[in-house]
């Protein structure tokens, strides 16, 4: 295989000791040790997270916020403690964190809530979110569909216009284009902290400053940053942000919607029903303040508790150490990929640009699905397809790519195993020299 310099950057995190915490990493696939490079799709779970969910279901399980019995009281306490833990992980207070079923649900919640405000629903303060025909919603060309389609739908329902900030050839957001596009008509700017295809950390402060200079609401998709970087959402200045537990070593079915207090207080609800009301008559209903206003129905209690265990685990490792470790893996990965003939990296931004540990690429002459299957036959799990970012792939002239993505439990040796196998792909398929 292509020579790649040894990973020399000292990092505080030794993935070899961490790996013992993740039972699935002992698995073999097709007779090979599993090399899991698909953490951007979903992360693996440490024993502490699995145990936390099992312990709650074995000892305290009950519905929260109702019932006068001991289990209900214990469950409610654990559930609200979990909220405080996860909120603290992103620099927020518990009142600023509503549970959702994941980032997709959080983004839909925001878009539909703004749609409701446009219909005149909510408190008088909700009117600030109402959209009129010709108002503009701005996204980037690098969105995951979860941060694109809800805005397309909102635009269609309200007569607003959806615009997008282009991505440059090197994968960075075109800030000049953003500056000329964001204007007094802009009401919402929604963008990813880190693209799930490019791995580049976007300039949040600059984009927030542009949006706030015209009074637009900012919505940050923090799905691919929350698992990999220290995150302080209030310090970033965004109005709203979403993230998903399952990408952060936590369980499926739960995520967070962070909101600045004044924004959450003014947003009308989206889903309605039990658990989010103060008073209901047959004719009308009064709603609880945030975050409960956004949490209709029986709550994901065991998931919240296991999610808190996940962020405690991440905190225990230290997010600075996680980021440094994954940056070292990312550099090794990209350097190795650049050296393999016929491989084209998507968004190969200059070295100074901050990134997380993922790389997407095209293999000339071999379909991404074939690359994925070949790697799988050697025990290596990567993601293939458009990664729910079809417009971004179209911008790079592709319909699909291969994505290798790391987490704190990956080692430099695994990156090398992956690079070795990838170097064999084109010869295996009889393509190229
Ligand atoms: N945004 C980004 C950048 C993502 O990577 C993902 C998940 N692939 C989502 C949003 C949606 O997250 P979920 O499927 O957990 O709702």
């Amino acid at each position: 295989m292509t020579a790649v310099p040894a990973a020399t950057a000292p990092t505080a995190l030794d993935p070899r000791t961490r790996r013992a915490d993740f039972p699935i990493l002992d698995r073999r696939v097709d007779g090979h040790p599993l090399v899991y490079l698909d953490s951007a799709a979903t992360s693996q779970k440490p024993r502490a997270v699995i145990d936390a969910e099992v312990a709650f279901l074995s000892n305290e399980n009950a519905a929260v916020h109702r019932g006068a019995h001991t289990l209900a009281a214990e469950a409610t306490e654990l559930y609200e403690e979990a909220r405080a833990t996860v909120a603290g992980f992103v620099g927020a207070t518990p009142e600023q964190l509503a549970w959702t079923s994941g980032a997709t649900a959080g983004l839909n919640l925001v878009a539909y809530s703004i749609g409701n405000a446009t219909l005149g629903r909510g408190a008088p303060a909700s009117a600030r979110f109402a959209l009129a025909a010709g108002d503009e919603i701005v996204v980037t060309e690098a969105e995951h569909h979860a941060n694109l389609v809800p805005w397309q739908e909102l635009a269609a329902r309200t007569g607003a216009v959806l615009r997008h900030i282009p991505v440059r050839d090197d994968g960075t957001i075109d800030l000049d284009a953003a500056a000329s596009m964001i204007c007094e008509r802009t009401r919402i700017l929604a963008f990813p902290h880190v693209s799930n295809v490019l791995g580049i950390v976007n300039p949040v402060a600059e984009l927030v400053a542009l949006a706030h200079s015209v009074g637009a609401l900012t919505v940050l998709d923090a799905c691919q940053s929350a698992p990999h970087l220290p995150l302080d959402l209030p310090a970033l200045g965004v109005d709203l942000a979403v993230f998903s537990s399952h990408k952060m070593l936590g369980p499926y079915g739960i995520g967070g919607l962070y909101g600045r207090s004044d924004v959450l207080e003014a947003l009308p609800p989206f889903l309605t029903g039990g658990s989010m009301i103060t008073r209901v008559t047959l004719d009308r209903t009064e709603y609880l303040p945030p975050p409960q206003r956004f949490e209709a129905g029986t709550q994901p209690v065991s998931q919240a508790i296991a999610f808190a265990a996940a962020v405690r685990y991440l905190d225990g490792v230290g997010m600075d150490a996680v980021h440094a470790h994954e940056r070292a893996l990312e550099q090794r990965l990209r350097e190795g990929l650049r050296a393999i003939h016929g491989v084209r990296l998507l968004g190969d931004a200059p070295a100074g640009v901050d990134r997380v540990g993922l790389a997407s690429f095209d293999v000339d002459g071999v379909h991404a699905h074939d690359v994925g299957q070949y790697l799988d036959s050697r025990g290596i799990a990567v993601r293939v397809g458009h990664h729910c970012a079809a417009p971004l792939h179209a911008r790079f002239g592709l319909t699909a790519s291969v994505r290798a993505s790391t987490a704190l439990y990956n080692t430099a040796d695994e990156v090398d195993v992956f690079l070795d196998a990838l170097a064999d792909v084109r010869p295996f398929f009889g393509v190229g020299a």
Side-chain angles (χ1 to χ4, degrees), residues 35-43 381-383 403-406 409-410:
V35 174
Y36 188 75
L37 293 174
D38 197 16
S39 293
T42 202
S43 64
V382 294
R383 178 91 160 168
R403 180 183 70 191
S405 57
T406 66
Y409 37 72
N410 289 116

Side-chain angles (χ1 to χ4, degrees), residues 36-42 144 195-199 224 247 333 337 346 357-362 368 371-372 375 380-389 393 400-406 418:
Y36 188 75
L37 293 174
D38 197 16
S39 293
T42 202
H144 186 282
S195 146
N196 64 316
V197 176
L198 305 170
Q224 297 291 349
K247 295 185 196 284
L333 187 60
L337 285 168
L346 271 65
L358 74 81
S360 299
F361 56 90
D362 177 52
V371 177
L375 294 174
I380 303 161
V382 294
R383 178 91 160 168
V384 297
H386 55 48
H387 322 307
C388 299
H393 278 78
S401 67
V402 183
R403 180 183 70 191
S405 57
T406 66
F418 160 76

Side-chain angles (χ1 to χ4, degrees), residues 199-212:
I200 294 170
V201 181
N202 288 321
V204 179
E206 284 87 336
L207 289 165
V208 167
L210 283 173
H212 284 174

Side-chain angles (χ1 to χ4, degrees), residues 312-326:
R312 274 197 298 273
Y313 185 93
L314 286 170
D315 259 340
V317 178
M319 292 309 289
D320 282 317
V322 169
H323 186 38
H325 171 67
E326 292 178 13

Side-chain angles (χ1 to χ4, degrees), residues 68-312:
H69 57 81
T70 301
L71 293 190
E74 288 176 5
T76 301
E77 197 176 323
L78 290 168
Y79 174 72
E80 290 303 336
E81 263 174 32
R83 188 194 304 276
T85 302
V86 174
F89 183 74
V90 294
T93 63
E95 299 71 36
Q96 294 174 320
L97 181 78
W99 300 121
T100 64
S101 64
T104 304
L107 291 162
N108 276 279
L109 187 164
V110 173
Y112 277 89
S113 176
I114 292 171
N116 287 343
T118 306
L119 292 172
R121 301 296 302 151
S126 305
R128 71 187 257 206
F129 303 114
L131 296 175
D135 282 347
E136 293 181 359
I137 303 168
V138 176
V139 296
T140 73
E141 206 174 12
E143 300 307 330
H144 186 282
H145 298 164
N147 201 25
L148 174 63
V149 185
W151 304 118
Q152 289 175 346
E153 286 289 316
L154 179 63
R157 287 198 304 279
T158 59
V161 176
L162 184 65
R163 305 190 68 188
H164 69 265
I165 305 169
V167 162
R168 296 194 194 97
D169 286 345
D170 68 1
T172 56
I173 285 180
D174 188 337
L175 280 178
D176 296 333
S180 56
M181 182 178 300
I182 292 169
C183 62
E184 65 290 346
R185 288 189 302 279
T186 311
R187 302 295 312 285
I188 300 166
L189 172 64
F191 63 99
H193 195 178
V194 173
S195 146
N196 64 316
V197 176
L198 305 170
I200 294 170
V201 181
N202 288 321
V204 179
E206 284 87 336
L207 289 165
V208 167
L210 283 173
H212 284 174
S213 71
V214 296
L217 190 76
T218 49
V219 182
L220 185 72
D221 176 354
C223 252
Q224 297 291 349
S225 56
H228 307 294
L229 311 170
L231 198 58
D232 186 334
L233 293 171
L236 286 177
V238 291
D239 297 304
L240 295 155
V242 299
F243 48 91
S244 282
S245 148
H246 71 94
K247 295 185 196 284
M248 302 167 65
L249 315 184
Y252 296 102
I254 190 161
L257 167 66
Y258 157 81
R260 266 179 38 185
S261 301
D262 62 308
V263 172
L264 282 189
E265 273 155 26
L267 272 177
F270 162 44
L271 292 179
T272 54
S275 304
M276 46 81 75
I277 51 85
T278 52
R279 203 149 27 133
V280 181
T281 67
L282 283 176
D283 300 319
R284 61 184 301 276
T285 296
E286 286 166 23
Y287 302 118
L288 280 165
Q292 279 82 14
R293 187 191 303 154
F294 304 106
E295 296 176 345
T298 305
Q299 291 302 291
V301 188
S302 59
Q303 294 93 323
I305 286 160
F307 188 10
V311 304
R312 274 197 298 273

